[in-house]
Amino acid sequence: MQGFYKLPMAQRRDILRKATSLTEDEIRILANTGALPADVADHMIENVIGGYSYPLGIATNFRINGRDYLVPMALEEPSVVAAASNAAKMARVKGGFEVTNTGPVMIGQIQVVNVPKPDDAKAKLIERKGDLLKKANDQDPMLVSLGGGAKDLNVKVLSTLKGPMVVAELIVNTGDAMGANAVNTMAEAVAPMVEEITGGRVLLRIISNLADRRLVRATALFDKEAVGGEDVVDGVVYAYAFADADPYRCATHNKGIMNGVVAVGIACGQDIRALEAGAHSYASRSGKYKPLTTWEKNSDGDLAGTLEMPMAVGLVGGAAKTHPTARADIKILGVKTAIELAEVMGAVGLAQNFAALRALASEGIQRGHMKLHARNVATSAGATGALVDLVATRMIEEKKIRFDRAKELVAELSKGKKPA
Ligand code: NAD
């Protein structure tokens, strides 16, 4: 498919149709870019042939740092929005979520190899910190004028598979930007100077997604009566202890947090790969994979939860600015700064984790999921309109939420025939 990238979208779709068994209807489905104008989509990534839609829901009841928020969430997984809203409602009893942050600070890494004297090079780089920071800041007068920019330099000597390496790290306040482009530009700009100072060769010049200088810390107190009694509180604490002791459980514990974080991230046009990478690398910082939240019972028997994780998000740059739905979602949220968005996402992550642990430690996760899951199974078996609920309800009654049964019910109910 040489030159595919140069073709207009419609021609790319023609080629795709000929190369696959896609029908005209399916091509029309793919061509639909939804709220994203086709030409905007075409400039966002490469080889664009159309769009892809997610449901967008609103999580309610969130009170964060004394303010109420309506939280847009875009995702395909049933129960997440309901769980977040429900958890937020329970958190309100004791005042909602309190969230702080460490500021919008990212790290840009410059890797230097073949350095004759790594420790000397480290000292020289630190000596020339002022010049290096100036060079970095010259790249982004806009960011500097807003109070951001490169603020510090960290230098380390790593012992690696390929021998010692010097790594210079620019510590950059990225303001209301996620900052990857800004930081990468700075890292590339200082590279020649780093080579000259160290006598080595610079290879990689790129942001680190282990954004451990850009943390949010969310806390909430859940009233024991509101959550269903002290047994539930104990159950959540046991669930947390399990995750703390076992990486197999911890992966799913943290995945539950990311259900909320990523859904708000998608809705608001964020780089969710960066969020995932930051979260899981931070969870492993001790050398053991650990939960991003902690849960304990206080002296009154209430449940105290905390979350601490990197949250590299922005309001300028990336899809947050170019995607019309993301812009509208940010307006729904009403956040004015990137750190406010990060704080909301931290609260949602904590709420989501609480909801999952509470369900797991009491009635189990499937009961809450059942209805939505059954509807999804019914839809994938071909049910439409009123038939979706009819098929779902029958499968729940029969305790047989399965694709094969859904198919049978769709066939029988859509004929108006009484199913066997
Ligand atoms: P950007 O470069 O589009 O916007 C940032 C720039 O906006 C700043 O450099 C500054 O000049 C300007 N600006 C205007 N008002 C500002 C304000 N109030 N605060 C801060 N800056 C302001 O975007 P970015 O945030 O630097 O980069 C984000 C993009 O980079 C995302 O799309 C992401 O997917 C992508 N990316 C990510 C990685 C990664 O590893 N995570 C790597 C490469 C690229």
Side-chain angles (χ1 to χ4, degrees):
M1 286 195 183
Q2 246 192 352
F4 189 70
Y5 73 97
K6 289 184 199 155
L7 299 174
M9 272 167 77
Q11 280 185 39
R12 288 187 201 130
R13 285 194 294 268
D14 277 347
I15 292 177
L16 192 67
R17 194 171 49 76
K18 286 177 193 136
T20 63
S21 57
L22 288 169
T23 63
E24 286 293 341
D25 270 355
E26 286 163 336
I27 288 288
R28 255 193 303 279
I29 288 167
L30 293 173
N32 185 353
T33 54
L36 191 60
D39 63 320
V40 177
D42 201 17
H43 288 97
M44 255 187 192
I45 62 166
E46 308 73 37
N47 293 359
V48 173
I49 55 121
Y52 186 107
S53 306
Y54 271 142
L56 177 68
I58 299 289
T60 54
N61 305 323
F62 272 90
R63 188 161 187 80
I64 304 166
N65 293 338
R67 231 199 92 183
D68 289 331
Y69 290 89
L70 293 170
V71 182
M73 300 177 88
L75 85 166
E76 86 301 345
E77 188 171 340
S79 299
V80 171
V81 180
S85 306
N86 198 24
K89 190 173 170 190
M90 292 182 197
R92 283 183 89 87
V93 175
K94 295 271 184 193
F97 300 85
E98 293 294 325
V99 196
T100 59
N101 73 86
T102 59
V105 180
M106 299 299 283
I107 300 168
Q109 297 189 300
I110 301 129
Q111 175 201 26
V112 206
V113 301
N114 300 338
V115 182
K117 290 182 181 164
D119 289 316
D120 286 2
K122 176 178 168 174
K124 282 188 198 153
L125 282 169
I126 291 168
E127 244 171 61
R128 298 280 303 278
K129 178 170 119 176
D131 297 334
L132 288 161
L133 295 185
K134 181 176 180 312
K135 182 79 186 170
N137 284 328
D138 283 350
Q139 312 311 310
D140 204 335
M142 174 74 165
L143 183 61
V144 173
S145 75
L146 294 164
K151 302 289 182 187
D152 204 354
L153 180 78
N154 182 41
V155 186
K156 55 196 185 189
V157 179
L158 297 181
S159 150
T160 79
L161 294 173
K162 300 286 283 175
M165 260 170 218
V166 176
V167 176
E169 294 180 330
L170 288 173
I171 312 300
V172 186
N173 180 317
T174 62
D176 285 324
M178 181 271 171
N181 285 327
V183 170
N184 294 344
T185 305
M186 289 182 179
E188 289 189 6
V190 299
M193 203 184 255
V194 169
E195 285 191 333
E196 176 228 308
I197 297 168
T198 59
R201 186 161 74 95
V202 166
L203 278 175
L204 274 55
R205 297 146 292 169
I206 183 84
I207 197 162
S208 169
N209 286 294
L210 174 48
D212 63 357
R213 294 175 186 243
R214 197 175 196 171
L215 301 175
V216 289
R217 292 195 185 96
T219 59
L221 190 61
F222 291 87
D223 179 86
K224 62 174 183 280
E225 302 308 333
V227 305
E230 219 158 323
D231 275 358
V232 175
V233 173
D234 290 334
V236 170
V237 177
Y238 270 113
Y240 159 62
F242 182 10
D244 186 62
D246 178 38
Y248 289 89
R249 169 57 210 150
C250 192
T252 312
H253 180 103
N254 287 342
K255 189 270 181 185
I257 295 169
M258 298 313 283
N259 276 345
V261 171
V262 165
V264 183
I266 294 176
C268 297
Q270 301 304 310
D271 181 343
I272 57 163
R273 287 83 48 200
L275 292 169
E276 291 278 11
H280 298 292
S281 53
Y282 191 68
S284 311
R285 69 196 181 284
S286 67
K288 253 193 104 184
Y289 186 66
K290 290 285 186 180
L292 294 164
T293 53
T294 65
W295 294 98
E296 57 189 31
K297 184 159 87 167
N298 73 6
S299 51
D300 297 328
D302 296 326
L303 180 67
T306 66
L307 169 144
E308 182 180 287
M309 63 180 289
M311 201 67 82
V313 294
L315 294 182
V316 300
K321 262 282 177 284
T322 48
H323 200 302
T325 311
R327 285 204 303 272
D329 289 342
I330 290 166
K331 195 166 172 186
I332 293 172
L333 212 43
V335 293
K336 296 286 179 283
T337 61
I339 54 175
E340 190 183 357
L341 174 60
E343 289 183 345
V344 169
M345 290 169 70
V348 175
L350 184 60
Q352 211 75 59
N353 185 224
F354 164 74
L357 297 186
R358 178 176 176 270
L360 282 168
S362 43
E363 79 263 28
I365 207 98
Q366 282 311 94
R367 211 181 95 188
H369 267 276
M370 201 107 79
K371 185 81 200 258
L372 286 161
H373 175 57
R375 289 173 56 100
N376 277 348
V377 173
T379 307
S380 59
T384 51
L387 199 57
V388 176
D389 272 342
L390 276 176
V391 173
T393 308
R394 277 295 296 270
M395 289 194 295
I396 291 168
E397 282 166 10
E398 295 173 2
K399 296 199 168 59
K400 263 194 219 160
I401 305 176
R402 296 196 320 246
F403 186 72
D404 57 330
R405 184 59 185 145
K407 272 261 187 227
E408 283 171 19
L409 287 166
V410 169
E412 288 159 0
L413 289 172
S414 57
K415 276 191 221 132
K417 232 176 77 185
K418 214 174 151 25

